[in-house]
Amino acid sequence: MYRLILLCILMTLGPVRAAMPVDKLTYDARRDPRFFPYEFTPRNVSPPELTTFKVAHPIHVYRTVYNGQYEPLAFTRVYNTMGSYDQPNGINLGDFPAARTVNDNPVWLTIGDAVVTKDRKGTSTGVAVGGFQHDSAFVIVIHPDSGKRDTIFLNTGKDRTGNGTWNPEIVMLGQMDYDYDGNPELFVHVCPARDLTPRVLFCLDLERRSVEWSLPVASTINLGQLVSCRDSLDPGVLFVSYNPSQGVRDPNFDD
């Protein structure tokens, strides 16, 4: 009994390991902050965005590394404006925690999602947004340090609802070096709901600014549902999807 009590005291008084640092934090606008897997304390609260199309992950806080040293935290806000406003959608880059604007990058797309991109060294180098304009979907990558932007065309669709616009949901599934070539690829799923087709999973080569490969996927894939198989000899990805039962089929999947 005494040995058990002594063991408990030693375990209680032992050193407590500090929380492991993270190099980025992404805010999911579709989730209730009460159910986040971390403590959430509001410091600045802005009024709701006046927009008809919300960005899935509009806020990103991340840290870059330059010459082996950590740079100050960077803050990114991705937004859509009201269609009646005479101003473009955009990517606002600032410092943290003050969130003071360093520069604002207009984007001619209706933005659906955003993700922080990394280079071969694992350094955060830019922000990629997925969006659509008229009948086409694109990914635009903004590089804050150089002011450069890259545009990658994804695909086109057809309006089936009569509103004159093809409205796809564009989900940024994350970046990973699934094929062990040293270049982390970005995965994006284009999935129109009421406009139905085409629904396609894209693997993007950000260095070549092109589509590495694509796969028709009629069912839905969300963030966190696609991972690398971790096999350098036979590289591939594994993903989970579900069917919203909208009557879409392709050679691989039946919604």
Side-chain angles (χ1 to χ4, degrees), residues 11-221:
M11 292 177 62
T12 304
L13 298 180
V16 178
R17 180 176 298 178
M20 294 185 64
V22 296
D23 60 352
K24 68 175 180 178
L25 177 65
T26 300
Y27 170 67
D28 189 340
R30 299 169 299 182
R31 299 178 61 185
D32 190 323
R34 294 176 299 173
F35 303 108
F36 284 171
Y38 45 79
E39 183 179 354
F40 183 84
T41 304
R43 295 187 57 179
N44 295 291
V45 180
S46 300
E49 294 287 347
L50 297 176
T51 176
T52 55
F53 200 97
K54 290 187 177 295
V55 180
H57 298 92
I59 297 175
H60 301 262
V61 178
Y62 56 96
R63 190 186 300 276
T64 60
V65 179
Y66 182 74
N67 288 336
Q69 301 294 323
Y70 279 104
E71 294 290 302
L73 287 170
F75 172 85
T76 296
R77 183 177 69 93
V78 183
Y79 61 90
N80 292 314
T81 59
M82 284 289 289
S84 58
Y85 283 18
D86 187 19
Q87 63 185 51
N89 306 324
I91 304 172
N92 183 276
L93 303 173
D95 57 5
F96 186 85
R100 294 170 298 193
T101 297
V102 175
N103 61 65
D104 201 53
N105 299 269
V107 177
W108 47 269
L109 301 176
T110 299
I111 303 172
D113 203 356
V115 67
V116 175
T117 61
K118 293 187 175 184
D119 60 12
R120 290 175 176 263
K121 297 180 180 180
T123 304
S124 299
T125 58
V127 178
V129 299
F132 62 92
Q133 176 78 349
H134 300 305
D135 65 347
S136 301
F138 302 85
V139 165
I140 293 180
V141 184
I142 303 292
H143 303 274
D145 293 340
S146 63
K148 178 183 175 184
R149 67 170 61 193
D150 301 321
T151 302
I152 304 175
F153 168 75
L154 298 179
N155 60 354
T156 60
K158 181 180 179 180
D159 171 36
R160 297 176 183 269
T161 62
N163 67 348
T165 305
W166 178 59
N167 294 92
E169 180 181 7
I170 300 178
V171 182
M172 312 296 272
L173 298 171
Q175 193 179 10
M176 66 190 76
D177 183 17
Y178 83 100
D179 55 2
Y180 294 87
D181 65 348
N183 176 29
E185 290 82 8
L186 176 64
F187 290 86
V188 183
H189 189 218
V190 177
C191 185
R194 297 181 63 198
D195 286 327
L196 300 180
T197 60
R199 298 180 177 183
V200 184
L201 171 64
F202 291 92
C203 174
L204 306 182
D205 185 330
L206 297 184
E207 287 189 348
R208 295 186 173 90
R209 301 181 295 280
S210 62
V211 176
E212 186 170 302
W213 55 261
S214 62
L215 175 72
V217 180
S219 48
T220 302
I221 311 174

